[in-house]
Amino acid sequence: MASRAEPTSRAEPAEPDDTAGRRDWRDVARDAADLALLGILLILAAAPVLTAASAAGTASAAVHDWMRTGSWPSARTTVRRFGRAVLPGVPVSLLGLGGAVLLAADLAALATGRVPGGPAALLVTALIAAGLAGYAGLVVVEVGGNGGGRWRASARRAARACLDAPTRWAALTGVVALAGLLAVLVTPVAVPILAGYTVAALHAVTARRPVPAVGPPSPAEPVPVAGVGRGGLR
C-alpha cells in the first residue's frame, strides 16, 4: 500500500508588524508644520485685537480635536467656530488687553523706581502676573474643549482646576513664561509659529493626570481603567 505523503513544509505563523502605529520623522515633521501654520493663522486672526479671544478659542478647539482624534477639524468647521465666537469674545479681548496693559505698566513703574516698593514688590507683582497668565492659559484650554466658546463657564472651571491642582497651575504658568521668554529672544518672524506650539503645550500639560499612589485598590472602589490615546488624552 502506498503511504500518504507527508507535507514537506508548514506555513509559518505571521509575525506581528512591529511598525504598526509607530510614528517616524515624517509624522513629527507634519505635526510641526501643522502647528506652525496654526500659530500663523492664530496671529493673523487676532491682529484686529477685538478678535483675539475668538482666535485663541478657535485655535484651542482645533488643537483639542487634533489631540483627541488625531486629525484636524475641517476648514468649514474652523471658520464657523470663529464666526460664532467673535461677538462673545469681544469683552474677553478687551478685558485681557486691559489687564495686560495695567500689569505691564505696574511692572515698568516698579522696575524704574517710579513706584515705591523695591525689588520685593517687583517680585511679588511678577509672580502675580505669571500666575494670572497660567490661569489664562488654562481658560483657553477649557474654551477649546467647549468648541471655542463659553468663556464664562470655562473661566469658572479653570479657577476650580487651579485650586484643585496647584502643581498643574504652576506647570501652565511655566509654559506661558517660557513662551514669553522665547518670544523676546527669537526673531519676530518666528513669534507666530511659537503661538501654535504654545497652545499645543498648554493642552499637553493640562491633559496629564497625576500618577496615583501605588497600592492595592480599595474593595469598595472600582479599579480605574485608563485609556491609552494620543498625547495622554483625558
Side-chain angles (χ1 to χ4, degrees):
M1 296 177 62
S3 60
R4 182 178 299 177
E6 295 290 335
T8 57
S9 62
R10 293 182 179 180
E12 296 294 334
E15 295 183 358
D17 187 4
D18 295 336
T19 61
R22 183 178 299 175
R23 291 166 52 82
D24 58 12
W25 66 270
R26 289 169 295 185
D27 298 317
V28 176
R30 187 183 304 111
D31 292 341
D34 290 340
L35 290 175
L37 178 60
L38 176 72
I40 294 173
L41 295 177
L42 168 58
I43 296 301
L44 291 177
V49 179
L50 294 180
T51 58
S54 57
T58 304
S60 180
V63 173
H64 173 79
D65 292 348
W66 173 63
M67 295 189 68
R68 183 171 57 89
T69 65
S71 60
W72 294 98
S74 63
R76 179 179 299 179
T77 300
T78 302
V79 172
R80 185 177 67 250
R81 286 173 173 173
F82 178 76
R84 188 174 53 196
V86 168
L87 290 180
V90 169
V92 181
S93 301
L94 294 176
L95 179 62
L97 178 62
V101 170
L102 289 176
L103 285 173
D106 194 10
L107 289 172
L110 288 171
T112 56
R114 289 179 294 174
V115 175
L122 179 62
L123 177 61
V124 171
T125 306
L127 291 176
I128 293 174
L132 290 176
Y135 166 71
L138 183 54
V139 172
V140 171
V141 173
E142 294 290 345
V143 169
N146 291 328
R150 301 179 60 187
W151 285 92
R152 184 176 300 179
S154 299
R156 289 195 298 265
R157 185 173 177 180
R160 290 194 299 266
C162 288
L163 296 177
D164 293 340
T167 54
R168 184 175 298 174
W169 184 12
L172 292 169
T173 301
V175 169
V176 178
L178 179 60
L181 177 61
L182 292 177
V184 175
L185 297 178
V186 301
T187 59
V189 179
V191 172
I193 299 176
L194 181 63
Y197 291 117
T198 302
V199 176
L202 291 173
H203 276 267
V205 171
T206 306
R208 292 181 60 86
R209 292 187 178 274
V211 179
V214 178
S218 173
E221 297 180 357
V223 180
V225 180
V228 180
R230 181 177 183 175
L233 302 183
R234 290 182 290 180

